[in-house]
Amino acid sequence: MDYSGVLNNLLPNVGLNISATSGNNTTDNTPHAKVVESILGLVGLRGFAPIYAFIGNKLGIEPSYILTTIGVLWAFNKLFHQLYTGIYNIIISHFMCSIHIFNSDDIYSHLMEWLASQPQIVNSRALLAETASKRAWEFEDASNLARDNSGRYLNFSNQEARAPPQYSPSIGLHGFWWKGQYFRLQRKRESVFDDTSIGQVLKDQEDIVISCFWRSPEPIKQLLAHAKAQYYRDHQARTIVKRPSMYNRRYAGRCSWHQVANRPVRDIRTVVLDEKQKLQVLADINEYLHPETPRWYANRGIPLRRGYLFYGPPGTGKTSLSFALAGIFGLDIHVISLLEPSLTEEDLSSLFGSLPRRCIVLLEDIDTAGLRRPATKDDGDSPPSSSRNPHNPNKSTAPSNAELKGDWKVSDLAKALKQEGDADKKTGISLSGLLNAIDGVASHEGRVLIMTTNTPEQLDDALIRPGRVDLQVAFANATQEQARELFIRMYEGTSAPSCTAQTNGTPTSCPGSGAGVEGKTGAAQTAQMTTAKEMNGGAKEANGFSLNDPGDLDISVDELPIIAREFGNKIPDSEFSPAQIQGYLLKRKKHPRKALDEVDMWVEGYIKQKKLKSKIMQVQ
C-alpha cells in the first residue's frame, strides 16, 4: 500500500511545507521518507525533518529503522514494567511482611538512633545531615577544648562548628543487612491534618516502614527489640523528665507528654535526710511497685494509688529526693505545673489518663497554686470590732460616723472588688478538678504521686487526707552531722566511699546504694557507679583542668575527715539549708582549707543578714 500517496492526498499542504523547509537537503523521495516527514509534521516535530534527511542521505542509515527500533524498545519497556509491577505486588502481598512506625512513638527515636550508628546506613548514598547538639548532661571529650586569647578561660564560640554532623537515612528507600537478613527501610513524610488539634492544624508526620522477605514479621520484631534494648542500654543510668505537650496535643495518648530532660540518676546519698526516713520511703515505694501488689489491692477493694507529701523549708532536698527515687526504681518523672495558664481540668484528666503503668508524678510547690475551697459568706465578711481603749481594755470606743464612712465602707468596697476580680481571673485548675484527677472514678492507677510544699499549713485538708497522701516526709535544715557529710561528699574525689558495713556478719549497704531495695539489679548499680565516676571526672582533663582530683586539693586525703568535723562543728544546727551549705562549698570546690577558714565569717554574715531581713548576701 502506498502510504505516501494516501498522506499526500489527505495532507498535501503538510508535505509541501516540509519539502520547502528541508530545501536541498531533502532529496530522499522514497515512500518511507515521505511518510516519516508527514508524521513529524502531524506531531509538531517539523523541525526534525532536516535531521531525518541528514541521517538518510549523509550517513546511509534508513531513519525509519531507527524509529522502528525505538518503538519496539518502548513497547518492551512498557510490557516489562507491567510484568515487574505485577510480580512485585505478588511478592509484596504474599512473600514479604512490614511494620509501620510513626514519629509520635518512642520507638521511632530508638530506631533512628540505632540506624545512625550502623555503618551500612551512615555510608549510604542518600543521607540526611543534622546538627548534633549535646544536652547539658551529655558528656563531652575534654581533649579538644578551645580557649580565649589569654589561654585561661574556655571558649565555646565555635563549638557547633567543630561538632561533626549526625547522619540518618533520608526520605526514600534504603536497604541494609542485619544478622544475615536483608531489610528494606522506607522513610516517608507527609502533611496531614491533626484531628486532635483545635481548628484542624496541618502538621508534618513521618512514617517508617521496615519490611523483609519473610512470611512472618518475627525478624523485624527482633530488629526493633534489639534497637530498643540498645537504646536503653546506653540510657539505663538516666532519669527522663517529661512535661505536658502543647495544649493542642494533650488528647493524643502518649503524645500528651514530651521529654524535656535526660539527666544522670541521682544517688540518694546526696540527699540530706534522716536515714530512717530514707529507708521508710524506699521500703514503702518498693512494696507498692511489687508485681503482687495490684492483686493484693484488688482483693481488698483498695484503689492502686500511692501519694507522698514532702514538706519543709526551701532548699532542703524535696525535689532532689524525688529524682533520687526515680533513679533507684528506674521510673520516669512527669512534672505538672498547676499554675500553667493553658492547663484546664480536662487537660489534667487527660494527662493523668495517659500516664504509663509505673511512673512518678511530681507536683512541685503545691501550696502556690492556691487550691482551697471557696470561702463562705461568713468568712471575712463580719464588720471590724470596735477598737479598745488603750487605757481601759474593758471599755470599747465606738467608731465615729467619719470612721464608718472612711474606713469600713472603703474596706468593704475593696473586699467586694477583690472578690469580683478574683472571680474574673479564676482560670485553670480548681481543687475539685485536682482531686478528681488524683483519685476520681476514672483516675489513673499505678502511679506514684509526690507533692512538695514549703508551707503545708496552707494546704486544704481534703488534698492531704489519707488515701490521697499516704506518707508525709518532713525536711529540715541541716544538722552539724549532715554539714560534715556534705563537706566530705564535696571533696571526697571520684571514688565514692564504701558504705558497706558488717552487721552481725552480714554486709549491709547504705541507703540509696540499691542493695537493700528489691528489684535493683547489679548491672543497674554498676551503671550508676560508672555514671557517678564519669560525672565527677575521674581523670585529669585537658589543659591541666580537673575537678575534685584529690591531688589538686589544698589538703591531703587523710586530713579530710578532721577538717570536715571542724567544719560541721562551726555550722549551727537547723540554721542553714543543705542548698545553702552546698552553694558555699561550690564556690570553694577545690579549696577545703579555705572553706574551713572562711566559714565563721560566712555564718556571721548570714545571721546578720537574716536579722536585718535583707536579701543581699554580705559574704558569699
Side-chain angles (χ1 to χ4, degrees), residues 2 18 62 74 88 148 158-159 196 242 265 295 321 323 342 367 371 378 422 449 475 484 524 531 544 571:
D2 190 1
I18 296 176
E62 178 61 39
W74 177 83
Y88 178 80
D148 63 346
N158 57 347
Q159 182 182 15
T196 62
K242 296 184 178 181
V265 297
R295 184 180 295 107
L321 180 60
F323 277 95
S342 63
D367 55 300
L371 300 176
D378 297 336
D422 293 341
L449 176 64
F475 289 75
R484 184 190 66 82
T531 305
I571 300 295

Side-chain angles (χ1 to χ4, degrees), residues 101-105 108 128 171 187-197 200-208 246 248-249 255:
I101 304 172
F102 292 100
N103 62 340
S104 58
D105 196 87
Y108 175 87
L128 178 64
I171 304 298
R187 188 176 180 183
K188 301 183 295 184
R189 179 180 298 172
E190 57 184 355
S191 298
V192 298
F193 282 102
D194 189 0
D195 296 333
T196 62
S197 301
Q200 294 291 322
V201 179
L202 191 66
K203 68 172 186 178
D204 291 335
Q205 177 178 287
E206 286 194 10
D207 180 18
I208 290 182
M246 295 183 296
N248 57 355
R249 298 189 63 186
C255 298

Side-chain angles (χ1 to χ4, degrees), residues 134-339:
K134 290 184 176 294
R135 297 188 178 182
W137 290 105
E138 293 186 25
F139 306 121
E140 299 176 306
D141 184 14
S143 60
N144 189 22
L145 292 177
R147 295 185 176 270
D148 63 346
N149 296 331
S150 64
R152 297 178 57 187
Y153 305 106
L154 301 177
N155 185 277
F156 298 95
S157 59
N158 57 347
Q159 182 182 15
E160 297 293 341
R162 296 198 310 268
Q166 182 178 357
Y167 299 99
S168 60
S170 63
I171 304 298
L173 286 172
H174 305 269
F176 63 94
W177 293 82
W178 183 71
K179 290 187 176 181
Q181 176 73 46
Y182 179 78
F183 293 89
R184 193 184 69 168
L185 182 142
Q186 183 179 11
R187 188 176 180 183
K188 301 183 295 184
R189 179 180 298 172
E190 57 184 355
S191 298
V192 298
F193 282 102
D194 189 0
D195 296 333
T196 62
S197 301
I198 301 176
Q200 294 291 322
V201 179
L202 191 66
K203 68 172 186 178
D204 291 335
Q205 177 178 287
E206 286 194 10
D207 180 18
I208 290 182
V209 183
I210 300 181
S211 55
C212 67
F213 287 96
W214 203 258
R215 293 279 296 176
S216 171
E218 191 62 29
I220 306 179
K221 293 180 180 179
Q222 295 178 2
L223 172 65
L224 296 179
H226 173 75
K228 190 173 183 179
Q230 187 70 28
Y231 176 86
Y232 283 106
R233 187 179 298 113
D234 297 337
H235 298 77
Q236 63 179 345
R238 318 285 292 184
T239 298
I240 297 177
V241 183
K242 296 184 178 181
R243 285 189 177 272
S245 302
M246 295 183 296
Y247 70 93
N248 57 355
R249 298 189 63 186
R250 291 174 184 165
Y251 297 92
R254 287 183 174 270
C255 298
S256 301
W257 300 89
H258 72 282
Q259 178 178 327
V260 295
N262 185 359
R263 52 189 297 178
V265 297
R266 176 158 185 168
D267 194 344
I268 199 171
R269 292 177 302 177
T270 62
V271 180
V272 178
L273 186 65
D274 183 69
E275 297 299 328
K276 293 182 179 179
Q277 288 182 299
K278 288 183 182 180
L279 292 175
Q280 183 183 12
V281 175
L282 287 171
D284 191 82
I285 296 180
N286 186 70
E287 182 181 1
Y288 171 72
L289 297 176
H290 196 277
E292 296 295 333
T293 301
R295 184 180 295 107
W296 190 92
Y297 274 69
N299 293 337
R300 289 155 180 81
I302 304 175
L304 186 61
R305 305 186 190 101
R306 204 69 180 165
Y308 301 87
L309 177 65
F310 296 167
Y311 64 93
T316 52
K318 299 181 291 295
T319 304
S320 300
L321 180 60
S322 304
F323 277 95
L325 293 174
I328 287 178
F329 296 102
L331 303 177
D332 295 344
I333 297 181
H334 295 70
V335 183
I336 301 178
S337 175
L338 299 179
L339 296 178

Side-chain angles (χ1 to χ4, degrees), residues 84-98 184 211-217:
Y84 173 81
T85 304
I87 296 174
Y88 178 80
N89 291 333
I90 292 175
I91 294 176
I92 292 295
S93 303
H94 298 87
F95 299 99
M96 292 188 69
C97 57
S98 61
R184 193 184 69 168
S211 55
C212 67
F213 287 96
W214 203 258
R215 293 279 296 176
S216 171

Side-chain angles (χ1 to χ4, degrees), residues 2 110 546:
D2 190 1
H110 303 168
S546 63

